[in-house]
Amino acid sequence: MVEAAGWSTIESDEGVFTSLIENLGVKDVQFEELISLDADTIRSLSPVYGVIFLFKWLRSHQPESTSAPADGTYDPSAPDSLFFAAQTIQNACGTQAILSIILNQDTPTSSSSSSTENTPIPPIDIGPELRSFKDFTTGFPAELRGEALSNSETVRTAHNAFSKASPFVDEVARGPNDGEGDVYHFIAYTPVNGKLYELDGLQPHPISHGECSAGQFPEKVIEVLQRRIARYPEGETRFNLMAVTRDLRIRAREFGDQEMLEREERKRRDWAWENTLRRSNFVGFIGEMVKGVTGMKEREGKFEEWVGQAQVETQRKLMRRS
């Protein structure tokens, strides 16, 4: 297994994931966060190639036996054409879930979601880098595919481009206590060869949730997700669900929907700005600003008064919260 160092933690965000796959050469695909757990929401974004589910990982939810998962059935005889990689590093499960959908929806024969059974789904153009990676790893066992992914400089560079900048902490280094506290995990659900698959690199095999035609995907995946969420304590809300869709600007152009096109273009500009901020470190700037203000207050002889006012205001805020 490769060292975890070298792969940073990235944020679960539709703009981050969209930019990540574009940096890998994927064309005409984007991510959309789903704020409601219903089939109509998924169908409204058609075509949807799959969904990525983020959840709090609980050891108590892991199956006691490797012979059967908590839901669905292991499919050890899945065809070699199904891309499934074991997770061999800790910080890249988001990127691995992304690739579990992207690399399984790159051919015309892939079964994706659609509003109707007979509507053709455009395959994903994964670009030359990912095409080379998929061709190279075809036929590999899951463990070896995971090692190949862990050692892919192209994928790691694209992944780490969205790490949080910090002057104090090495984001790619993990200490002995870093595993304490809540742990979150990404998994992918995507229809392939007429079956709904759950692709989780922590599991020994792909998990099949039964037959799933193109038009059935929204209903089928919602049923599976509802069963999974029901296993958590009542009131648990720390989940996130994102759909992998075709670039919505394409649909806007096809239908001549100028309002939708402008909305999507504005969303892209917002994503670009937010991703720029994620790559930036403002601690130095803030430090210099604080030093400047402090020096000005000292020269004016108002430093003690300024600090006193800040303390009073802090106490007021704490009292309001309590």
Side-chain angles (χ1 to χ4, degrees), residues 28 68 81 85 123 135 173 218 280 289 308:
D28 299 334
S81 58
D135 291 345
S280 302
M289 182 179 67

PDB file of all heavy atoms in Angstrom, residues 28 68 81 85 123 135 173 218 280 289 308:
ATOM      1  N   ASP A  28     -17.827  17.718 -21.020  1.00  0.00           N
ATOM      2  CA  ASP A  28     -19.302  17.803 -21.049  1.00  0.00           C
ATOM      3  C   ASP A  28     -19.977  17.044 -19.914  1.00  0.00           C
ATOM      4  O   ASP A  28     -21.043  16.451 -20.085  1.00  0.00           O
ATOM      5  CB  ASP A  28     -19.836  17.288 -22.396  1.00  0.00           C
ATOM      6  CG  ASP A  28     -19.328  18.115 -23.567  1.00  0.00           C
ATOM      7  OD1 ASP A  28     -19.015  19.300 -23.361  1.00  0.00           O
ATOM      8  OD2 ASP A  28     -19.238  17.572 -24.682  1.00  0.00           O
ATOM      9  N   ALA A  68     -21.357 -11.370   2.738  1.00  0.00           N
ATOM     10  CA  ALA A  68     -22.550 -10.639   2.320  1.00  0.00           C
ATOM     11  C   ALA A  68     -22.487  -9.215   2.853  1.00  0.00           C
ATOM     12  O   ALA A  68     -22.132  -8.995   4.016  1.00  0.00           O
ATOM     13  CB  ALA A  68     -23.808 -11.340   2.823  1.00  0.00           C
ATOM     14  N   SER A  81     -14.959  -5.373 -17.728  1.00  0.00           N
ATOM     15  CA  SER A  81     -15.267  -4.038 -18.228  1.00  0.00           C
ATOM     16  C   SER A  81     -15.783  -3.110 -17.129  1.00  0.00           C
ATOM     17  O   SER A  81     -15.779  -1.884 -17.294  1.00  0.00           O
ATOM     18  CB  SER A  81     -16.308  -4.114 -19.352  1.00  0.00           C
ATOM     19  OG  SER A  81     -17.494  -4.752 -18.888  1.00  0.00           O
ATOM     20  N   ALA A  85     -12.149  -0.453  -8.113  1.00  0.00           N
ATOM     21  CA  ALA A  85     -10.820  -0.428  -7.509  1.00  0.00           C
ATOM     22  C   ALA A  85     -10.935  -0.454  -5.995  1.00  0.00           C
ATOM     23  O   ALA A  85     -11.791   0.221  -5.416  1.00  0.00           O
ATOM     24  CB  ALA A  85     -10.056   0.819  -7.948  1.00  0.00           C
ATOM     25  N   PRO A 123     -22.350   8.691 -24.248  1.00  0.00           N
ATOM     26  CA  PRO A 123     -21.269   8.215 -23.371  1.00  0.00           C
ATOM     27  C   PRO A 123     -20.371   9.376 -22.966  1.00  0.00           C
ATOM     28  O   PRO A 123     -20.293  10.397 -23.652  1.00  0.00           O
ATOM     29  CB  PRO A 123     -20.520   7.207 -24.258  1.00  0.00           C
ATOM     30  CG  PRO A 123     -20.799   7.657 -25.658  1.00  0.00           C
ATOM     31  CD  PRO A 123     -22.202   8.205 -25.637  1.00  0.00           C
ATOM     32  N   ASP A 135      -7.569   1.611 -19.951  1.00  0.00           N
ATOM     33  CA  ASP A 135      -7.100   0.523 -20.813  1.00  0.00           C
ATOM     34  C   ASP A 135      -5.975  -0.258 -20.140  1.00  0.00           C
ATOM     35  O   ASP A 135      -5.916  -1.491 -20.218  1.00  0.00           O
ATOM     36  CB  ASP A 135      -6.614   1.080 -22.151  1.00  0.00           C
ATOM     37  CG  ASP A 135      -7.759   1.617 -23.001  1.00  0.00           C
ATOM     38  OD1 ASP A 135      -8.929   1.304 -22.696  1.00  0.00           O
ATOM     39  OD2 ASP A 135      -7.487   2.347 -23.974  1.00  0.00           O
ATOM     40  N   ALA A 173       0.065  15.225   5.241  1.00  0.00           N
ATOM     41  CA  ALA A 173       0.658  14.383   6.278  1.00  0.00           C
ATOM     42  C   ALA A 173      -0.384  14.078   7.336  1.00  0.00           C
ATOM     43  O   ALA A 173      -1.146  14.948   7.735  1.00  0.00           O
ATOM     44  CB  ALA A 173       1.864  15.076   6.913  1.00  0.00           C
ATOM     45  N   PRO A 218     -33.463   6.264 -11.376  1.00  0.00           N
ATOM     46  CA  PRO A 218     -33.826   7.191 -10.301  1.00  0.00           C
ATOM     47  C   PRO A 218     -34.576   6.520  -9.153  1.00  0.00           C
ATOM     48  O   PRO A 218     -34.248   6.726  -7.978  1.00  0.00           O
ATOM     49  CB  PRO A 218     -34.700   8.226 -11.020  1.00  0.00           C
ATOM     50  CG  PRO A 218     -34.213   8.209 -12.433  1.00  0.00           C
ATOM     51  CD  PRO A 218     -33.898   6.771 -12.705  1.00  0.00           C
ATOM     52  N   SER A 280      -6.030  29.508  -2.228  1.00  0.00           N
ATOM     53  CA  SER A 280      -5.297  30.642  -1.676  1.00  0.00           C
ATOM     54  C   SER A 280      -5.199  30.545  -0.159  1.00  0.00           C
ATOM     55  O   SER A 280      -6.042  29.950   0.506  1.00  0.00           O
ATOM     56  CB  SER A 280      -5.993  31.962  -2.054  1.00  0.00           C
ATOM     57  OG  SER A 280      -6.090  32.083  -3.456  1.00  0.00           O
ATOM     58  N   MET A 289      -2.772  42.604   8.337  1.00  0.00           N
ATOM     59  CA  MET A 289      -3.847  43.561   8.562  1.00  0.00           C
ATOM     60  C   MET A 289      -4.050  43.804  10.056  1.00  0.00           C
ATOM     61  O   MET A 289      -4.209  44.952  10.506  1.00  0.00           O
ATOM     62  CB  MET A 289      -5.147  43.062   7.929  1.00  0.00           C
ATOM     63  CG  MET A 289      -6.317  44.026   8.073  1.00  0.00           C
ATOM     64  SD  MET A 289      -7.817  43.408   7.284  1.00  0.00           S
ATOM     65  CE  MET A 289      -8.187  41.996   8.341  1.00  0.00           C
ATOM     66  N   GLY A 308     -10.750  46.458  25.166  1.00  0.00           N
ATOM     67  CA  GLY A 308     -11.851  46.380  26.117  1.00  0.00           C
ATOM     68  C   GLY A 308     -13.202  46.300  25.424  1.00  0.00           C
ATOM     69  O   GLY A 308     -14.079  45.520  25.835  1.00  0.00           O
TER      70      GLY A 308
END
